């Protein structure tokens, strides 16, 4: 009763949630119903109602695909590397930036490292290809000036995943620091002062004050990231992929592109998308439970 | 911190403001056009940009002076919607799925993956009767071979109108100044070609004392790199009917020999070692920007443009098109594309298909041909003593602009390349005419020309040229795997569903050739 009264009293404030709610219903929940085409032989012109139901045929197709193991392994490995190396990178950078006392310097650095985020992968991919080129590339010029052999990085399968992870970090690290810096701005400066009085060094302060203050933010972002475990960003990999590195670089998303857009197999690709979503759901629920138990932080 | 967020919000607002401003502008532009000529028929056309700089750089193609002239001459209120060259297929898919179609729609042929279901479901007019009734000239002037193509008609029923592909194959481009400097003969066979490339590499034809020449360059997925496949008659995306079967060239035994040649070229660094990851712009930059490439392959219809572009980096550069290397059968040349060029379908949503047909029929009038060849009077040509004095394009910008009327607006009808009087007056016309002659005298036919993708290839794209084969070929050429791994690939390919692909392709071939 009391709760109802509260809602009623503040209805103008609560009504502000409506556009967001509508957005999610219209553009997130209703389209879920479209996933039904994963169980059909969908034809654009017959529509959802007119297409024939085929059960799990498309899922069976996916698991029978001879390279399925390869694309799954590549997807998981690249995602894992991104999680292990790419995820902590902005945290470290944010902590470092937080320690910078000269405001002008800090602001300049921040602006400069944000910039790559606004470039599309087509451009960054071009930069990567040029930088690693054996003829003109800066990396190989450096290698050869130190007397090493030139290496054709983009044609060597063993380098592909590292290139993906490193170029991803380069592009997104600055952008990723924003949230952490915002969280750090909220830390009470008195804590640092007290620690200093107690004789804690800089490093000790980071371990005992900064990191615990960041932990809730880190956990939320980590959980969200795990939910997208199988989404690697198609563009980046597609641009750098070539036949010689397919064995380490072909992922689920590039496969979807090949069969879906080039082969117009909407049902099949929806089935693959569903597979990815279900895996993502299991991972996020599982990780959330673990995090709840261990750190007390959780998404819901 | 707050300050940063505030500033970022400000940027967003500004960006949205700019976007809104843009969309408003284009909106009012089309309104104006619509209102201006309400009494003349309105025809909305969706055209691929073909990557032409003049077209893609236009702020509003419907306000362009050439489009305005086209409206005036054809007495049709043409309204153009551009489809970007890069995303043509995707965009087409979306348009067909959404049902938001213009009066005339460019497609990749009625048997293409994206258009075939639309044809099956009656999204396009069947044109036989309409053509006879409203545009009989189209039937007469367009060669029967084009109407018969499976990109245009199915069992005698016509679903689209074909434009003509005057040039069907690429040709070899060579730096003639390099040939002359090293006193080399024009090569003919594969061995002679290899010898020429070797000389390019070792004898410093650009004379800067460094071994920085790239004898031959190519692009990702062997694009514009197939001169040696052609020598063995195994152009990778072609098909061959042999032993009562239609098989893809990429599994034929000759393919192994061809790959052997590429492997050797790659090892000796006669073939650009970066070609497997090379995008068009990097390829361009090496040939034109750096002028370091000795040989490549491309369209024979504008060697003049190539030459002027290479000359921007090396003023002494001279180009020439030469016959492609000949193989064991004494013939050569790159793959011949379909004789069908642009394909135009008329969606059922068009309530006046006759107006669209009449507009297309206009292309075969002298008036239309004159406009498409020579452009605008006063701007592109003048008339002296009743004779047309055409201002032939000299700069790259001029050539780009010229392509607006020579290529882009020419939806159907004979090519300007066929107009000899026009061609003769061009700067470096001998270069172009030579290129066209070389192209006409060579080239490899595919027995699977205009064939829709066999169903198994659709559901198993990994069996197509750009997947399993490309992976194998790339590894063989770069020396990561021995040449003999090709045999294993063929065996594997057949086992994984390739036999089914061959069966389906053979059925299509038999059905088509027994009628």
């Amino acid at each position: 009763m009391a709760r109802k009264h509260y809602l009623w009293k503040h209805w103008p404030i609560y009504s502000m949630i409506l556009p967001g709610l509508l957005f999610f219903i219209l553009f997130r929940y209703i389209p879920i119903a479209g996933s039904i085409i994963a169980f059909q032989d969908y034809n654009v012109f017959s529509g959802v109602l007119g297409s024939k139901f085929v059960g799990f045929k498309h899922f069976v197709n996916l698991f029978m695909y001879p390279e399925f193991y390869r694309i799954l392994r590549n997807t998981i490995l690249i995602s894992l590397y991104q999680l292990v190396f790419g995820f902590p990178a902005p945290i470290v950078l944010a902590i470092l930036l937080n320690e910078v006392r000269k405001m002008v310097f800090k602001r300049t650095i921040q602006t400069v490292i944000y910039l790559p985020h606004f470039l599309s992968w087509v451009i960054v991919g071009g930069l990567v290809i040029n930088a690693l080129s054996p003829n003109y590339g800066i990396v190989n010029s450096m290698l050869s000036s130190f007397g090493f052999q030139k290496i054709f990085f983009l044609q060597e399968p063993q380098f592909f995943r590292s290139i993906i992870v490193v170029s991803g970090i380069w592009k997104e690290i600055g952008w990723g620091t924003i949230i952490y810096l915002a969280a750090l701005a909220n830390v009470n400066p008195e804590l640092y002062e007290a620690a200093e009085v107690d004789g804690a060094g800089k490093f000790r302060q980071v371990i005992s004050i900064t990191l615990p203050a960041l932990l809730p933010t880190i956990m939320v972002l980590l959980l969200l990231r795990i939910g997208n475990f199988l989404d690697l960003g198609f563009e980046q990999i597609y641009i750098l992929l070539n036949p010689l590195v397919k064995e380490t670089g072909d992922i689920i998303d590039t496969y979807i592109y090949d069969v879906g857009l080039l082969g117009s197999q909407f049902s099949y690709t929806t089935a693959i998308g569903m597979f990815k979503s279900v895996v993502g759901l299991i991972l996020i629920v599982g990780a959330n439970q673990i995090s709840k138990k261990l750190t007390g932080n959780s998404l819901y | 911190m707050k300050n940063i967020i505030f500033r970022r919000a400000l940027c967003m607002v500004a960006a949205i403001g700019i976007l809104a401003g843009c969309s408003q502008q284009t909106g009012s532009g089309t309104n104006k056009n619509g209102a201006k000529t309400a009494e003349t028929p309105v025809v909305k056309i969706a055209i691929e940009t073909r990557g032409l700089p003049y077209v893609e750089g236009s702020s509003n193609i419907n306000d362009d002076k050439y489009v305005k002239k086209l409206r005036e001459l054809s007495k049709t209120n043409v309204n153009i919607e551009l489809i970007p060259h890069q995303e043509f297929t995707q965009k087409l898919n979306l348009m067909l799925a959404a049902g938001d179609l213009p009066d005339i729609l460019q497609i990749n042929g009625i048997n293409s993956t994206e258009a075939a279901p639309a044809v099956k479901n009656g999204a396009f007019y069947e044109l036989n009767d309409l053509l006879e009734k409203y545009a009989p000239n189209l039937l007469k002037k367009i060669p029967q071979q084009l109407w018969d193509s499976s990109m245009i008609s199915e069992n005698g029923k016509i679903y689209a109108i074909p434009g003509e592909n005057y040039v069907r194959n690429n040709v070899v481009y060579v730096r003639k100044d390099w040939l002359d400097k090293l006193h080399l003969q024009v090569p003919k066979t594969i061995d002679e070609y290899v010898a020429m490339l070797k000389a390019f590499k070792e004898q410093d034809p650009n004379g800067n004392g460094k071994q920085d020449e790239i004898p031959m360059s190519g692009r990702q997925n062997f694009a514009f790199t197939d001169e040696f496949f052609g020598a063995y008659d195994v152009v990778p995306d072609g098909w061959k009917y042999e032993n009562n079967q239609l098989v893809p060239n990429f599994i034929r035994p000759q393919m192994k020999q061809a790959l052997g040649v590429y492997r050797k070229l790659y090892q000796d660094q006669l073939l650009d070692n970066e070609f497997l990851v090379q995008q068009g712009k990097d390829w361009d930059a090496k040939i034109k920007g750096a002028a370091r490439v000795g040989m490549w392959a491309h369209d024979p219809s504008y060697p003049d443009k190539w030459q002027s572009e290479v000359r921007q980096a090396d003023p002494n550069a001279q180009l020439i098109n030469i016959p492609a290397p000949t193989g064991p059968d004494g013939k050569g040349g790159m793959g011949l594309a379909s004789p069908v060029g642009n394909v135009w379908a008329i969606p059922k949503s068009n309530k006046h298909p006759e107006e669209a047909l009449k507009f297309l029929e206009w292309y075969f009038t002298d008036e239309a041909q004159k406009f498409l060849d020579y452009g605008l009077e006063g701007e592109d040509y003048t008339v002296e003593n009743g004779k047309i004095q055409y201002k032939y394009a000299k700069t790259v910008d001029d050539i780009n602009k010229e392509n607006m009327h020579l290529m882009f607006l020419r939806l159907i009808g004979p090519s300007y390349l066929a107009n000899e009087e026009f061609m003769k007056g061009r700067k470096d016309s001998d270069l172009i005419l030579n290129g066209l002659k070389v192209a006409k005298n060579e080239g490899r036919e595919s027995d699977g020309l205009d064939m829709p993708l066999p169903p198994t290839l659709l559901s198993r794209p990994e069996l197509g040229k750009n997947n399993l084969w490309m992976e194998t070929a790339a590894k063989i050429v770069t020396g990561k795997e021995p040449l003999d791994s090709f045999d294993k690939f063929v065996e594997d390919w057949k086992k994984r569903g390739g036999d089914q692909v061959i069966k389906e392709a053979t059925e299509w071939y038999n059905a088509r050739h027994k009628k």
Side-chain angles (χ1 to χ4, degrees):
Chain A
M1 191 61 214
R3 186 173 277 178
K4 203 173 184 183
H5 180 73
Y6 190 75
L7 249 179
W8 184 80
K9 201 168 114 193
H10 295 287
W11 69 269
I13 295 176
Y14 276 93
S15 68
M16 283 171 147
I17 208 176
L18 270 179
L21 211 60
L22 264 176
F23 171 83
F24 273 96
I25 292 175
L26 272 177
F27 295 108
R28 291 289 183 268
Y29 280 89
I30 293 179
I32 290 180
S35 300
I36 200 164
I37 68 170
F39 304 99
Q40 294 182 321
D41 264 338
Y42 178 67
N43 175 316
V44 177
F45 295 93
S46 322
V48 175
L49 296 177
S51 298
K52 214 176 84 205
F53 276 90
V54 293
F56 284 92
K57 177 181 140 189
H58 297 297
F59 292 91
V60 174
N61 259 356
L62 174 64
F63 299 132
M64 297 292 283
Y65 171 58
E67 258 87 52
F68 175 70
Y69 171 68
R70 179 170 96 170
I71 57 174
L72 188 66
R73 186 196 60 199
N74 289 339
T75 311
I76 290 176
L77 276 181
I78 295 178
S79 199
L80 203 66
Y81 293 160
Q82 284 183 344
L83 207 61
V84 172
F85 300 104
F87 185 77
I91 303 175
V92 174
L93 186 67
I95 293 173
L96 289 177
L97 276 175
N98 195 47
E99 295 300 323
V100 174
R101 287 285 154 258
K102 257 245 181 302
M103 254 343 189
V104 183
F105 180 69
K106 186 177 163 189
R107 286 280 155 79
T108 320
I109 294 285
Q110 271 181 299
T111 313
V112 170
I113 60 178
Y114 287 173
L115 276 179
H117 170 78
F118 297 99
L119 301 175
S120 83
W121 269 115
V122 180
I123 296 167
V124 178
L127 289 176
V128 171
I129 293 173
N130 278 328
L132 297 178
S133 150
N135 290 339
Y136 311 98
I138 178 161
V139 178
N140 271 310
S141 317
M142 265 154 59
L143 277 183
S144 66
S145 70
F146 287 124
F148 290 105
Q149 272 279 313
K150 284 190 174 185
I151 302 172
F152 207 149
F153 291 100
L154 283 167
Q155 290 191 2
E156 300 295 337
Q158 70 267 31
F159 291 122
F160 187 75
R161 296 190 191 120
S162 317
I163 293 172
I164 291 294
V165 173
V166 171
S167 61
I169 291 177
W170 181 80
K171 183 168 182 293
E172 298 299 340
I173 191 169
W175 192 249
T177 58
I178 290 177
I179 292 176
Y180 297 116
L181 283 171
L184 286 174
N186 286 331
V187 179
N188 190 346
E190 285 172 15
L191 289 176
Y192 290 107
E193 286 161 20
E196 229 163 280
V197 172
D198 288 346
K202 277 279 175 223
F203 191 68
R204 189 72 235 178
Q205 289 177 25
V206 169
I207 299 284
S208 300
I209 302 174
T210 316
L211 273 181
L214 278 182
L215 195 65
T217 319
I218 293 177
M219 284 321 288
V220 168
L221 288 178
L222 183 68
L223 290 174
L224 290 175
R225 175 71 192 75
I226 286 175
N228 294 330
F229 193 71
L230 296 185
D231 296 314
L232 298 181
F234 159 77
E235 255 184 286
Q236 180 192 6
I237 294 184
Y238 185 72
I239 279 162
L240 296 173
L241 197 62
N242 65 68
L244 285 169
V245 295
K246 268 203 157 176
E247 55 181 274
T248 56
D250 207 9
I251 58 165
I252 296 179
D253 290 337
T254 48
Y255 178 60
I256 290 184
Y257 179 79
D258 276 351
V259 282
L261 278 167
L262 305 179
S264 297
Q265 298 204 55
F266 302 117
S267 286
Y268 186 33
T269 47
T270 309
I272 307 175
M274 241 175 123
F275 166 73
K276 278 175 57 184
S277 308
V278 170
V279 173
L281 187 70
I282 294 171
L283 284 175
I284 200 169
V285 170
N288 196 47
Q289 291 300 334
I290 295 172
S291 154
K292 214 183 213 167
K293 283 243 164 66
L294 291 182
T295 66
N297 293 310
S298 71
L299 289 174
Y300 49 81
Chain B
M1 206 53 232
K2 258 186 193 160
N3 211 353
I4 291 182
I5 290 174
F6 173 68
R7 259 182 265 164
R8 198 167 306 120
L10 210 68
C11 285
M12 290 282 276
V13 172
I16 292 166
I18 291 167
L19 283 176
C22 281
S23 57
Q24 223 162 18
Q25 231 169 13
T26 47
S28 66
T30 43
N31 277 346
K32 202 173 61 199
N33 291 334
K36 197 168 58 190
T37 43
E39 63 284 349
T40 52
V42 179
V43 175
K44 257 189 82 178
I45 315 175
I47 317 181
E48 188 210 334
T49 61
R50 297 217 229 166
L52 294 170
Y54 182 87
V55 177
E56 291 189 335
S58 166
S59 59
N60 180 0
I61 194 78
N62 281 306
D63 279 345
D64 185 83
K65 52 198 169 196
Y66 292 99
V67 177
K68 282 182 178 157
K69 188 75 180 172
L70 177 77
R71 281 195 200 111
E72 182 194 319
L73 290 172
S74 64
K75 301 189 182 60
T76 310
N77 190 10
V78 179
N79 196 325
I80 294 176
E81 181 186 342
L82 294 177
I83 308 180
H85 178 65
Q86 295 282 339
E87 312 140 22
F88 179 59
T89 317
Q90 288 173 39
K91 189 83 193 296
L92 207 58
N93 256 327
L94 284 178
M95 285 169 89
L96 288 166
D100 175 23
L101 299 173
D103 297 327
I104 301 178
L105 175 66
Q106 181 165 16
I107 55 176
N108 286 325
I110 64 162
N111 56 0
S112 62
T113 319
E114 59 281 358
V119 174
K120 214 167 89 193
N121 286 278
F124 302 138
Y125 279 103
E126 189 203 314
L127 297 167
N128 297 46
D129 298 339
L130 288 167
L131 279 168
E132 239 157 69
K133 196 162 161 202
Y134 297 108
N137 255 338
L138 284 179
L139 283 175
K140 257 182 268 163
K141 296 268 170 102
I142 297 174
Q144 192 59 35
Q145 187 201 8
L146 301 188
W147 292 114
D148 287 341
S149 160
S150 45
M151 287 168 75
I152 299 301
S153 62
E154 198 184 313
N155 303 326
K157 287 181 186 154
I158 297 169
Y159 290 103
I161 296 151
E164 217 174 310
N165 215 0
Y166 187 76
V167 171
R168 294 177 58 197
N169 49 337
N170 290 322
V171 295
V172 174
Y173 276 71
V174 169
R175 287 285 295 269
K176 186 171 183 293
D177 52 326
W178 289 14
L179 276 181
D180 293 346
K181 183 154 182 223
L182 304 180
H183 307 291
L184 293 170
Q185 292 291 313
V186 170
K188 286 193 189 75
T189 63
I190 296 171
D191 290 340
E192 288 169 22
Y193 259 84
V194 174
M196 172 187 80
L197 294 174
K198 222 182 179 95
F200 280 174
K201 180 170 172 58
E202 286 162 4
Q203 299 176 24
D204 192 27
N206 68 6
N208 66 355
K210 278 187 277 184
Q211 230 188 56
D212 59 351
E213 290 85 356
I214 304 169
M216 166 185 177
S217 190
R219 273 158 62 166
Q220 221 176 19
N221 291 343
F222 288 96
F224 302 101
T225 321
D226 45 0
E227 42 278 62
F228 294 101
F229 288 128
Y232 288 100
D233 197 10
V234 281
V235 179
D237 49 12
W239 296 71
K240 195 74 167 177
Y241 188 74
E242 57 183 10
N243 306 327
N244 298 321
Q245 279 187 323
L246 189 61
V247 293
N249 278 338
F250 62 70
I251 63 157
R252 295 172 59 219
Q254 290 91 329
M255 178 50 88
K256 192 175 166 183
Q257 291 172 281
L259 284 175
V261 173
Y262 283 99
R263 183 186 166 95
K264 185 96 182 44
L265 291 173
Y266 188 94
Q267 254 167 20
D268 298 347
Q269 301 199 345
L270 302 180
L271 171 59
D272 186 351
N273 274 204
E274 284 178 289
F275 87 101
L276 284 165
V277 293
Q278 195 138 269
Q279 307 279 339
K281 58 177 182 355
D282 302 315
W283 179 74
D284 253 28
K286 283 179 184 169
I287 298 172
K288 299 170 184 172
R292 276 165 46 170
V293 179
M295 171 179 134
W296 64 97
H298 207 245
D299 191 323
S301 51
Y302 44 90
D304 55 329
K305 181 168 174 236
W306 272 102
Q307 179 164 286
S308 58
E309 282 165 337
V310 178
R311 274 185 186 168
Q312 286 178 346
D314 181 353
N316 300 320
Q318 273 184 311
L319 301 186
I320 189 165
N321 298 121
I322 60 174
T326 54
D329 63 351
K331 286 186 274 187
M334 275 155 269
L336 287 166
S338 168
V340 176
N342 300 331
V343 178
W344 308 96
I346 301 182
K348 283 264 173 71
S349 55
N350 180 355
K351 291 287 162 261
H352 296 282
E354 71 278 2
E355 280 164 6
L357 289 177
K358 281 178 182 158
F359 167 66
L360 289 177
E361 193 180 30
W362 168 80
Y363 274 90
F364 284 92
T365 61
D366 291 344
E367 173 193 57
Q369 287 305 314
K370 186 177 146 197
F371 164 62
L372 294 170
D373 285 347
Y374 295 99
L376 302 172
E377 181 165 1
E379 171 140 353
D380 299 314
Y381 70 91
T382 50
V383 179
E384 277 164 39
N385 308 327
K387 273 192 82 178
I388 292 177
Q389 296 292 326
Y390 184 64
K391 292 183 199 150
Y392 287 93
K394 287 188 183 70
T395 65
V396 174
D397 280 348
D398 280 353
I399 293 173
N400 285 337
K401 185 173 143 219
E402 189 183 34
N403 283 338
M404 175 73 180
H405 59 90
L406 289 183
M407 289 161 76
F408 180 72
L409 287 178
R410 193 184 300 265
L411 306 190
I412 58 169
S415 164
Y416 69 96
L417 297 166
N419 182 349
E420 240 182 66
E421 196 190 310
F422 172 76
M423 292 304 292
K424 270 196 185 129
R426 281 183 85 114
K427 185 170 160 268
D428 300 318
S429 68
D430 43 339
L431 210 60
I432 309 169
L433 291 171
N434 170 58
L436 293 172
K437 205 177 92 200
V438 169
K440 281 269 170 280
N441 289 331
E442 64 180 29
R444 296 292 195 177
E445 284 289 354
S446 164
D447 293 330
L449 200 63
D450 295 354
M451 177 173 67
L453 270 185
T456 303
L457 266 189
L458 261 186
S459 57
R460 312 283 304 278
E462 72 268 20
L463 297 176
K465 179 197 109 188
N466 282 347
N467 278 286
L468 280 180
W469 176 75
M470 196 59 79
E471 232 180 298
T472 312
K475 281 181 182 159
I476 290 176
V477 169
T478 52
K480 289 197 164 50
E481 271 180 24
L483 190 53
D484 285 334
S485 67
F486 178 77
D487 303 325
K488 215 187 109 251
F489 153 75
V490 174
E491 203 182 303
D492 196 33
W493 183 84
K494 284 185 171 166
K495 229 185 291 167
R496 288 182 60 165
D499 278 330
Q500 185 64 22
V501 172
I502 292 176
K503 208 179 126 222
E504 286 161 5
T506 308
E507 274 163 21
W508 171 86
Y509 185 87
N510 289 338
R512 198 161 163 70
H513 290 265
K514 270 182 198 149
K515 57 174 179 180

